[in-house]
Amino acid sequence: MSKPTSASPAAGAPAAQRRRFLAGLAAGVIGTIVAVVPTIPGIAFLLHPLLKKKKAGAAEGDGYVKITTVEAIPKDGSPRAFPVQMDIQDAWNKYPDRQVGSVFLSRNEDGQLKCFSCVCPHLGCTINYEEKAKLYLCPCHASSFKLDGERENQIPPRSMDPLEVRVNEKNEVEVKYQTFRAGTSERKVVS
Amino acid sequence: MKLFLNWLDDRTGYRDLMHEALREHIPGGARWRYVWGSTLTFVFMVQVVTGFALWAGYSPSSGTAWESVYYIQHEMTLGSVLRGVHHFAAQAMVVLMAVHLMQVVIDGAYKAPREMNFWLGLVLMQIVLGLGLTGYLLPWDQKGYYATRVATEIMGSTPGIGPQIQQLAQGGPSYGHHTLTRFFALHAGILPALLVAFLALHIYVFRRHGITAKQPYRKPDSEFWPDQVLMDAVACLAILATLLLLAVWKGAELSAPANPASGFSAARPEWYYLFLFRFLKFGWVSHAGEVTGLGEAFGAVVLPGILMTIIALMPFIARVKGGHKFNVGFLVLVVLGSVGLTGVALYEDWIADTADGRSFRAAVAQAHKDGQRAVALSQAPAGIPPEGAISLLLNDPLTQGPRLFQTRCSDCHRWQGQDGLGNDVVQIDESALDAPAKPVAAKAPDLATFGSRAWIKGLLSNFAEHMKSTENATVMAEKARELPGGTMAEWSKENSAALNSEANKASFEAIVEFLYTQSGRSDALPQNDPKVLAGREIFQSGKLADGELTTACADCHTMILPGETEPLSASGEPILTGYGGKDWLKQMLLNPDAHYGESNAMPAFHGQLSDHELDMITRWIIGEYYLPPEEPTKESPTTE
């Protein structure tokens, strides 16, 4: 675009050139507006997962979920996997009482309960318990963990994720079910 | 910078491209009349952008389409704006296309050597109309569902290959998941791809022949940049502003989820198809269809096809002397005809005081209400179940109750003086359908306040007036006509003054409260509330604060209180155990004799109502349904 130079020697040209420059400027500005504005709601829409505010009252109670009874957990300290059932909201649908994952529960001689998430902190596969080796083993990339959840090799970035556990007045075991970010040495809750 | 641009130009040749794009020669200078093609391209780009975003939130199946659109509209960031812009831009395209076509014909831009481009434009027009038709179904709401079904039925009525085409469009013999997946593939894939291809050709050929300049020239020749670009941009800005305004102010409607089982009297195609819709209603069109054996296809496919063919032949017609004038005249006629038919259709639907017009407007109002209710239920804490949102409405007393009331009860009873659905109950005069309808008197009590405290008060202190409507009864008429003069009416007459006296105010309230508590409704007091206990005492003894009832309630009515083994009173009818509650009401519908014995005047509906229907209507009458927190008790039957 040629810049208007008020001192242009061409006769009659300065006014015409200025007009042309202003028309070009206006066309550029308005053109940009009409090109950009329609994309704004589109981009905001696509960014919805990052922009949305958590609905008030979405999480019911204190986050503890009933898993099983104390008696169902072996007394010898060996862990057992239990399914976690809760209501899930998947976009527009509400599914009542669906299995959302599982947890390992174990009980030592003193009756102390221990709970680990079955989700591998490495990359999110589901961990199995190997009875013979007395090890937790992830089938995906061979992460392995000892009975106390300590990592046994360097594949996972951190030890297994412990979950808070409590026994209610009906002798039922409740767990505060949470998911954590995979692949990081720091344990961060995914909300 | 300059070095980089040189490098870039060397590799891409972008300067030539820019030059080609912007330095188009415009004989006679830039003019506003040249903006239409650009605005169409712009609106198409808006559709691409908004369409891609909507695609990321849409789920095409008959159990998730409405739900995902609801979620886009009501939960997602700027979803309603996005959907609104897409919705109105689709309509803007049709309008702009009509303007563009008219201008091309009037200015003679279709003549040699531009015939090919004219035809490309006509192809684009069909694609755009196809996009509108396929897009209308995608929300899978009542509106889109029934409008599109009419379109596919028309396809199916085409002689010969019709049924096959219909099945291919629907993905089977009836509407379902595959109708949506196919329409979505057309709407978001095949048709846009075709549109891009034909648009590219259209623009390419247009550039080859250049603009059809309007004589006489007002200004010296110029180039596309900057004056014409500025005019195009301003026109696009005006359109964009209009679209945003409409999207925010009016928004795209989402009616109730499609329910293939129920009729939809508010079914209409999108407004730009209204002319065709109205055209098909002409008797002679159907008649011609019958005579020619073409059926609906005559009016919907063959005649529009002939019109389109004539339009497509315009470049040839123009070669004959006077041909151009004929073309212009023909197009003006087609446009005026379409506008006229659209106007007639709109007038008949929205203004005309005819039976058809009235029932259409009532159906639209009902559809609007259903749509709002579906959204309110979807936003309720219970949420949308896995079966989809349609089950919310099918299991909603507030939706189903009025419909059942209208078909089953409104012959005799009224609801706030109407039929339950908000319409007056009128006598239909077969000989003069469009005459102002005459209201019909009720033959049984208005049930909008059934079982409420006000209702009980009325029964006790003014029974004859309360049951007055039964004088008009035609069903079980003898029994019904006795009611306003029966023993209860007499009792009410005798005790009315005592009950209404200032001294007995508390006593009257207590007895009403005691009876109301039997219903177990959500706002009823517990059985051991002092007020209820006081009422119980009066029920049994008939002793008021000041004086005594002529006969105590317990002397005539059976009453067994919940949780008590000893009945309060063991004989007499009507039975008041659980009075006004769900179970009492169910019994009243199935077998009213059981409550009222000899004096019953209500027909039994045993075997006529399914368990589900019974549940819906009783829960509606007693007000047991979800109401969103913003408008509590708005529709509650207990308000008066």
Side-chain angles (χ1 to χ4, degrees):
Chain A
M1 269 18 74
S2 54
K3 264 190 170 178
T5 42
S6 46
S8 172
Q17 279 207 1
R18 191 181 307 114
R19 229 204 112 267
R20 188 178 157 83
F21 169 77
L22 288 175
L25 187 71
V29 169
I30 298 174
T32 308
I33 290 172
V34 298
V36 169
V37 169
T39 61
I40 292 172
I43 290 167
F45 184 82
L46 294 176
L47 291 179
H48 174 78
L50 301 179
L51 297 174
K52 73 165 174 189
K53 280 169 249 149
K54 263 217 144 175
K55 270 198 169 175
E60 290 149 43
D62 52 6
Y64 278 87
V65 194
K66 191 205 118 183
I67 305 291
T68 180
T69 56
V70 174
E71 285 70 35
I73 305 166
K75 271 187 225 169
D76 59 358
S78 64
R80 233 187 95 185
F82 291 89
V84 179
Q85 305 253 118
M86 54 203 284
D87 296 350
I88 30 178
Q89 180 78 42
D90 182 1
W92 53 85
N93 271 136
K94 189 151 190 179
Y95 298 95
D97 205 25
R98 289 277 170 115
Q99 183 173 345
V100 295
S102 30
V103 292
F104 286 113
L105 277 166
S106 61
R107 179 154 74 124
N108 66 15
E109 271 118 45
D110 308 334
Q112 243 187 342
L113 290 170
K114 205 179 273 172
C115 182
F116 290 109
S117 168
C118 285
V119 180
C120 182
H122 180 216
L123 289 169
C125 291
T126 303
I127 300 168
N128 298 318
Y129 177 64
E130 293 295 327
E131 190 72 58
K132 277 183 212 149
K134 290 208 179 298
L135 282 175
Y136 292 105
L137 213 77
C138 180
C140 290
H141 306 98
S143 302
S144 70
F145 308 88
K146 288 181 267 187
L147 269 180
D148 60 0
E150 259 335 285
R151 57 181 173 162
E152 215 246 345
N153 54 28
Q154 296 302 306
I155 296 163
R158 60 173 189 259
S159 299
M160 280 174 86
D161 297 318
L163 296 170
E164 286 169 52
V165 60
R166 73 183 182 198
V167 177
N168 68 14
E169 66 278 5
K170 283 185 273 176
N171 218 28
E172 292 165 340
V173 178
E174 296 179 337
V175 165
K176 187 170 184 175
Y177 189 71
Q178 288 177 312
T179 46
F180 304 91
R181 253 174 79 177
T184 55
S185 55
E186 195 192 350
R187 189 169 288 131
K188 272 190 104 174
V189 177
V190 178
S191 57
Chain B
M1 187 63 185
K2 198 163 179 191
L3 225 79
F4 170 73
L5 289 179
N6 285 339
W7 179 87
L8 192 70
D9 186 46
D10 199 28
R11 267 101 190 136
T12 61
Y14 84 94
R15 276 180 194 143
D16 277 352
L17 190 73
M18 291 284 282
H19 192 270
E20 180 67 26
L22 296 174
R23 292 289 146 91
E24 187 207 356
H25 182 69
I26 299 181
R31 294 178 73 159
W32 285 107
R33 59 188 301 124
Y34 302 150
V35 301
W36 301 111
S38 301
T39 57
L40 268 169
T41 311
F42 165 69
V43 177
F44 174 62
M45 291 319 294
V46 170
Q47 291 303 64
V48 171
V49 170
T50 51
F52 270 122
L54 286 168
W55 190 342
Y58 178 68
S59 176
S61 89
S62 61
T64 57
W66 186 92
E67 291 74 3
S68 61
V69 175
Y70 146 76
Y71 201 70
I72 289 170
Q73 180 83 20
H74 294 279
E75 302 294 331
M76 293 187 72
T77 312
L78 289 187
S80 61
V81 175
L82 197 64
R83 192 169 160 253
V85 169
H86 199 72
H87 175 77
F88 288 110
Q91 299 169 39
M93 258 183 116
V94 175
V95 174
L96 292 170
M97 226 164 46
V99 174
H100 190 48
L101 174 68
M102 279 172 64
Q103 194 195 9
V104 162
V105 172
I106 290 169
D107 286 359
Y110 63 98
K111 289 189 223 167
R114 298 186 174 87
E115 305 100 312
M116 192 55 84
N117 216 18
F118 181 63
W119 296 328
L120 285 170
L122 294 182
V123 172
L124 282 167
M125 197 164 118
Q126 304 307 312
I127 298 173
V128 169
L129 289 174
L131 279 165
L133 188 80
T134 48
Y136 208 53
L137 175 73
L138 298 182
W140 204 248
D141 61 350
Q142 289 280 72
K143 216 169 80 164
Y145 180 87
Y146 280 98
T148 314
R149 258 185 68 170
V150 172
T152 49
E153 291 299 334
I154 289 172
M155 276 183 214
S157 71
T158 312
I161 51 164
Q164 283 76 23
I165 294 183
Q166 186 185 6
Q167 285 225 12
L168 284 177
Q170 288 174 184
S174 59
Y175 268 43
H177 291 319
H178 269 167
T179 318
L180 274 171
T181 51
R182 283 174 169 249
F183 270 62
F184 189 46
L186 281 170
H187 185 79
I190 298 160
L191 291 176
L194 283 174
L195 193 104
V196 169
F198 277 94
L199 187 61
L201 282 174
H202 193 63
I203 294 172
Y204 167 75
V205 179
F206 163 69
R207 279 300 171 95
R208 185 182 160 83
H209 299 298
I211 201 157
T212 312
K214 178 78 178 164
Q215 303 280 1
Y217 295 167
R218 289 184 194 157
K219 279 183 280 180
D221 292 6
S222 76
E223 288 172 338
F224 189 48
W225 178 268
D227 288 358
Q228 190 63 50
V229 175
L230 178 59
M231 286 181 183
D232 287 0
V234 169
C236 293
L237 185 67
I239 289 168
L240 180 63
T242 312
L243 293 179
L244 282 171
L245 204 75
L246 283 168
V248 173
W249 173 51
K250 290 210 69 112
E253 200 195 351
L254 178 64
S255 58
N259 180 2
S262 86
F264 185 62
S265 325
R268 287 290 181 274
E270 188 63 302
W271 65 264
Y272 47 82
Y273 285 114
L274 271 181
F275 75 95
L276 196 55
F277 158 83
R278 185 59 190 82
F279 185 63
L280 293 178
K281 284 209 318 198
F282 285 124
W284 64 267
V285 176
S286 318
H287 183 68
E290 226 166 278
V291 171
T292 52
L294 293 166
E296 283 295 301
F298 173 76
V301 181
V302 177
L303 277 186
I306 292 173
L307 295 189
M308 278 310 294
T309 310
I310 295 175
I311 293 173
L313 291 176
M314 279 182 177
F316 299 120
I317 298 170
R319 295 182 178 201
V320 190
K321 195 161 177 270
H324 176 64
K325 277 191 178 140
F326 168 82
N327 285 339
V328 173
F330 179 77
L331 188 72
V332 168
L333 243 121
V334 169
V335 170
L336 284 181
S338 304
V339 171
L341 281 173
T342 308
V344 170
L346 289 175
Y347 171 80
E348 286 174 350
D349 279 348
W350 293 102
I351 299 166
D353 191 26
T354 58
D356 285 347
R358 283 192 296 264
S359 62
F360 172 77
R361 293 190 286 274
V364 169
Q366 185 61 41
H368 190 65
K369 225 164 138 183
D370 287 343
Q372 284 183 325
R373 182 67 179 158
V375 169
L377 289 170
S378 297
Q379 289 173 327
I384 302 176
E387 309 90 83
I390 182 68
S391 69
L392 291 174
L393 285 183
L394 294 178
N395 295 317
D396 175 34
L398 186 56
T399 306
Q400 302 304 327
R403 286 172 164 79
L404 286 163
F405 186 87
Q406 197 256 334
T407 53
R408 301 297 192 137
C409 316
S410 70
D411 239 10
C412 300
H413 291 282
R414 296 290 178 273
W415 188 275
Q416 290 171 352
Q418 294 177 312
D419 68 349
L421 284 170
N423 310 306
D424 291 330
V425 180
V426 292
Q427 191 162 13
I428 292 166
D429 183 356
E430 300 285 348
S431 60
L433 274 176
D434 293 341
K438 283 181 215 121
V440 176
K443 301 166 192 164
D446 193 308
L447 295 181
T449 58
F450 170 79
S452 66
R453 294 176 176 93
W455 167 280
I456 295 168
K457 262 189 176 160
L459 270 179
L460 295 177
S461 65
N462 199 0
F463 187 87
E465 182 61 32
H466 193 92
M467 300 300 278
K468 198 171 180 294
S469 48
T470 52
E471 285 170 355
N472 306 319
T474 49
V475 184
M476 303 180 80
E478 247 165 74
K479 288 261 176 61
R481 279 180 211 143
E482 281 170 19
L483 286 175
T487 40
M488 185 67 197
E490 218 160 286
W491 182 94
S492 169
K493 215 163 156 189
E494 289 162 7
N495 294 291
S496 175
L499 288 170
N500 281 323
S501 73
E502 195 55 39
N504 286 326
K505 200 172 176 233
S507 297
F508 193 18
E509 265 175 26
I511 181 82
V512 168
E513 203 59 48
F514 170 69
L515 286 167
Y516 186 71
T517 288
Q518 305 314 316
S519 70
R521 294 187 186 186
S522 57
D523 61 338
L525 297 173
Q527 297 276 352
N528 60 3
D529 187 273
K531 199 170 174 184
V532 173
L533 288 174
R536 174 182 174 158
E537 184 55 36
I538 300 167
F539 184 90
Q540 220 168 357
S541 67
K543 277 190 189 114
L544 301 168
D546 174 25
E548 208 169 328
L549 294 169
T550 51
T551 326
C553 312
D555 292 349
C556 297
H557 292 281
T558 304
M559 170 72 92
I560 302 167
L561 295 175
E564 293 185 15
T565 44
E566 191 73 13
L568 198 63
S569 55
S571 65
E573 280 149 349
I575 296 167
L576 294 182
T577 304
Y579 178 74
K582 194 159 59 178
D583 292 337
W584 191 93
L585 201 53
K586 278 187 182 174
Q587 182 74 338
M588 186 67 203
L589 287 169
L590 293 176
N591 183 18
D593 287 355
H595 282 329
Y596 280 80
E598 284 291 289
S599 56
N600 175 49
M602 156 109 176
F605 281 79
H606 185 76
Q608 294 185 42
L609 289 169
S610 70
D611 286 351
H612 182 251
E613 288 174 321
L614 195 63
D615 192 50
M616 287 296 113
I617 190 147
T618 47
R619 280 172 60 195
W620 176 57
I621 291 175
I622 68 169
E624 188 185 300
Y625 44 76
Y626 171 79
L627 280 180
E630 299 85 47
E631 34 180 1
T633 70
K634 190 185 159 198
E635 296 251 10
S636 166
T638 49
T639 46
E640 184 170 277

